[in-house]
Amino acid sequence: NCFEESLELINEVINLGQEDYSIYYLKSANLIELTLFKEALDASEKGLSLNSEDVLLNQNKAIALYHLGIFDESFEFFKKSIDLDETTNSYFFLSRIELINKNFKKSLDYINKAIELQLNNFHDLKDSSIEFYNVFINYDQFLLKSLILYNLKEFDEANMLCDCLIEKEPENAKNYCLKAMILFEEGKYEESLGFIQKTLDLNPDCEEAIELKNKIESINCP
């Protein structure tokens, strides 16, 4: 995770005239981690000029476009990436774009596909003969699914996912905030306040929690 140092070394390789599409993939990946999305877009486009069919370069371009707010073009590059090779990350971002566009059912379809691929990859690694590997579950995907279900007013399933996430990630304020939002929609204001307070204990600047707390206090005012 030494992204700045990695980027410096990549630039040294490029300055030596060793231009290869994989170098630009690594450059764009580092720039994305450093939240330098315009530069990441430029690097991914340079790589794609050398190999337009590389799945990870197409995905990195799509990620950079997403963070730059260019959602329609981002969507198309995620779709191209999936046509080349299905990845859980591409489906995750497609789900996020459809959520932004308020296409909640399409968003749910995409996040279910992302989770399915993720769990399949997890089991494949778990059952393999490789002695050393890094396995992690991306809980952001399950949080996104819970948020989509919340928007679809499927509160029971959204609640169940939130409870699982709180158990797995007890220090993540987003889990408590979404739980508070669900409880608020169910009219359980006192319970919602408890989760709002937990959210604010972990993240005092959470705007959603502050806004929700003000709503509940206004409802409870005589």
Side-chain angles (χ1 to χ4, degrees):
N1 292 330
C2 302
F3 303 118
E4 291 181 354
E5 186 177 354
S6 176
L7 187 59
E8 288 177 5
L9 291 168
I10 290 165
N11 286 331
E12 286 184 24
V13 172
I14 292 172
N15 290 335
L16 290 170
Q18 301 298 313
E19 287 196 333
D20 182 88
Y21 74 92
S22 61
I23 294 293
Y24 286 101
Y25 159 69
L26 289 171
K27 183 171 183 175
S28 63
N30 276 276
L31 289 164
I32 286 169
E33 293 290 347
L34 294 167
T35 68
L36 298 170
F37 300 117
K38 179 62 172 67
E39 293 87 342
L41 179 60
D42 292 342
S44 61
E45 287 179 339
K46 180 64 176 176
L48 287 169
S49 72
L50 300 171
N51 182 358
S52 63
E53 300 301 301
D54 183 72
V55 59
L56 294 177
L57 275 166
N58 278 283
Q59 183 173 270
N60 277 7
K61 180 172 181 177
I63 292 171
L65 287 164
Y66 173 88
H67 286 290
L68 291 168
I70 309 171
F71 299 122
D72 289 346
E73 192 176 352
S74 174
F75 189 93
E76 293 306 315
F77 274 92
F78 279 122
K79 292 286 285 185
K80 181 178 180 182
S81 175
I82 285 170
D83 288 341
L84 293 166
D85 187 21
E86 290 185 309
T87 67
T88 183
N89 209 26
S90 288
Y91 282 114
F92 175 58
F93 274 96
L94 285 172
S95 178
R96 290 169 69 171
I97 293 169
E98 293 291 17
L99 179 62
I100 290 167
N101 292 331
K102 300 187 184 303
N103 297 324
F104 301 126
K105 289 187 177 180
K106 288 183 179 179
S107 181
L108 183 61
D109 288 341
Y110 281 130
I111 198 60
N112 280 337
K113 186 64 176 176
I115 290 169
E116 179 188 353
L117 279 174
Q118 179 183 188
L119 294 178
N120 286 343
N121 291 339
F122 175 83
H123 289 301
D124 287 347
L125 282 171
K126 194 174 180 182
D127 296 338
S128 73
S129 59
I130 301 171
E131 185 175 1
F132 300 105
Y133 56 85
N134 293 321
V135 174
F136 67 94
I137 296 295
N138 185 347
Y139 291 113
D140 285 347
Q141 294 184 5
F142 294 91
L143 181 62
L144 180 59
K145 180 172 181 176
S146 186
L147 180 59
I148 296 163
L149 291 166
Y150 163 81
N151 280 282
L152 288 168
K153 301 190 183 304
E154 297 183 19
F155 298 131
D156 287 345
E157 191 174 353
N159 246 326
M160 180 189 69
L161 275 174
C162 268
D163 289 340
C164 292
L165 288 166
I166 287 168
E167 181 181 346
K168 295 292 184 181
E169 295 185 309
E171 300 304 314
N172 189 337
K174 293 179 181 179
N175 298 332
Y176 296 97
C177 186
L178 182 53
K179 176 80 174 179
M181 290 163 58
I182 296 166
L183 291 168
F184 176 84
E185 291 297 324
E186 292 179 321
K188 300 174 182 178
Y189 302 134
E190 290 302 317
E191 289 183 58
S192 181
L193 274 173
F195 285 95
I196 289 169
Q197 189 55 55
K198 181 63 177 177
T199 303
L200 294 173
D201 288 344
L202 293 167
N203 179 11
D205 298 322
C206 179
E207 293 180 4
E208 292 89 347
I210 294 167
E211 181 181 346
L212 194 57
K213 183 177 182 180
N214 291 336
K215 280 185 182 179
I216 294 173
E217 289 175 348
S218 68
I219 291 170
N220 290 336
C221 284

